[in-house]
Amino acid sequence: MTDTELQKIMDSSLEYTQHITLSYKQNNFSIGFSVLNYINPILNKYEYKLEGYDNQWISTEGYQPAAFYNNLPAGTYTFYVKGSNPNGLWSNNVRSVTITILPPPWLTWWAYCIYAILLSLLVWYTYRIIRKRIHLQQMVELANIQRQKNEEINHSKLQFFTNITHELLTPLSIISASIDEIKIHFPETRNSLPEIEDNLLRLKRLIQQILEFRKVENGRQKLKVSYGNLTSFLQHSAQAFTPLVRKKKHTLRIPKYGDRISRVF
């Protein structure tokens, strides 16, 4: 960057300038300098240093009185320069100028503020997603625990009914054995005992159905289909209610196939 080019950037001459501000695109520049000695100016000598970038003074001859810098990072630097005449007499006047290279827009403080805000939003959104997933996982685990508890309760209930059912079969077996003894010792009661036996058998079947329901719950019961006589089944089922019908002084009759039903009680 020569003195002529700096005139386009600065409002005053380089000689009276103490601070220069450049954009991040102007980090390649050169600074020209000279001493007030016009007799053999090529024999003049110069030393310069850019504080903050150069570690030591750099010497140059009068045939190239300029300092060149390329791709300087953003920041503030101080440029020092001093010169001597051909006799080697160095001037005590060390000129300096402060040079500030502005950072690109994506490296400015407000850009970092935007980055911080975006990062905060990302962290918050990630935290919200993780928290939601943890909540859903907890709900699933809670539902599984509740389901296991319900299964344990149902299992306990079924086990209780199963135990009670097995306990009911014992007195029914005793009653059935007692009926057999009555038939042997009191033959005259044979006509009234079939109704008791039918109801006893019906009760055993109901208890057996409870046991089969337990098998259905455990998935060990299979459906069995077979042929049967519907008329005989209905007659046998209706016969079990004969004592109740007699007690109420009603008449119950199951018609045979082909009979005309006139009245049903």
Side-chain angles (χ1 to χ4, degrees):
M1 182 179 293
T2 62
D3 185 62
T4 306
E5 292 173 337
L6 288 175
Q7 294 293 334
K8 299 178 181 178
I9 299 175
M10 301 180 300
D11 296 333
S12 59
S13 173
L14 179 61
E15 185 179 356
Y16 303 101
T17 300
Q18 296 181 351
H19 189 271
I20 302 173
T21 301
L22 304 176
S23 67
Y24 71 98
K25 294 181 180 180
Q26 296 174 317
N27 60 347
N28 298 321
F29 60 88
S30 63
I31 301 177
F33 38 79
S34 63
V35 296
L36 299 178
N37 179 28
Y38 300 103
I39 301 175
N40 294 327
I42 298 179
L43 299 179
N44 294 333
K45 295 182 179 180
Y46 304 92
E47 289 185 350
Y48 62 90
K49 178 181 179 181
L50 184 63
E51 191 175 52
Y53 185 78
D54 295 327
N55 296 325
Q56 59 186 2
W57 290 88
I58 300 174
S59 300
T60 184
E61 302 295 336
Y63 63 86
Q64 191 179 11
F68 298 89
Y69 295 96
N70 297 318
N71 297 323
L72 280 179
T76 300
Y77 308 91
T78 302
F79 181 77
Y80 297 96
V81 62
K82 58 183 178 178
S84 69
N85 57 21
N87 298 325
L89 181 63
W90 288 91
S91 174
N92 294 327
N93 185 15
V94 178
R95 288 296 314 275
S96 64
V97 60
T98 302
I99 301 173
T100 300
I101 299 178
L102 299 176
W106 54 89
L107 295 179
T108 56
W109 64 269
W110 53 265
Y112 285 113
C113 291
I114 295 177
Y115 300 152
I117 293 173
L118 293 177
L119 181 61
S120 300
L121 291 175
L122 180 61
V123 171
W124 174 80
Y125 183 72
T126 304
Y127 167 77
R128 185 176 179 182
I129 292 178
I130 295 175
R131 183 179 178 183
K132 187 175 181 180
R133 289 185 177 178
I134 293 176
H135 179 70
L136 291 176
Q137 186 177 2
Q138 292 176 348
M139 293 295 293
V140 171
E141 292 178 355
L142 182 62
N144 291 333
I145 294 174
Q146 188 66 32
R147 179 178 56 82
Q148 292 177 359
K149 289 184 177 180
N150 292 335
E151 290 179 355
E152 292 176 358
I153 293 174
N154 292 333
H155 178 75
S156 300
K157 290 180 180 179
L158 291 174
Q159 188 64 38
F160 172 76
F161 284 118
T162 302
N163 296 335
I164 292 298
T165 301
H166 284 291
E167 292 296 329
L168 291 175
L169 287 175
T170 300
L172 289 177
S173 299
I174 296 174
I175 294 173
S176 179
S178 300
I179 293 175
D180 293 337
E181 291 182 358
I182 291 174
K183 285 182 180 181
I184 295 174
H185 295 89
F186 303 96
E188 66 276 7
T189 61
R190 289 180 177 273
N191 295 329
S192 58
L193 291 179
E195 297 174 355
I196 299 177
E197 291 178 336
D198 290 342
N199 283 282
L200 184 62
L201 181 61
R202 181 182 178 86
L203 186 58
K204 285 184 178 181
R205 288 178 178 175
L206 291 174
I207 294 175
Q208 192 65 31
Q209 288 178 1
I210 296 177
L211 295 176
E212 291 177 354
F213 176 76
R214 178 66 186 276
K215 293 180 180 180
V216 172
E217 288 291 326
N218 295 332
R220 296 183 299 176
Q221 181 67 21
K222 295 182 179 180
L223 180 64
K224 296 181 180 180
V225 181
S226 62
Y227 292 98
N229 192 329
L230 181 59
T231 302
S232 176
F233 173 76
L234 292 176
Q235 289 177 349
H236 188 73
S237 298
Q239 188 178 358
F241 294 92
T242 302
L244 293 177
V245 174
R246 285 201 304 263
K247 183 177 180 180
K248 294 183 178 293
K249 297 180 181 181
H250 292 294
T251 301
L252 177 63
R253 184 176 66 88
I254 302 299
K256 297 181 180 179
Y257 180 77
D259 291 347
R260 183 176 181 182
I261 300 177
S262 59
R263 190 174 185 182
V264 180
F265 296 93

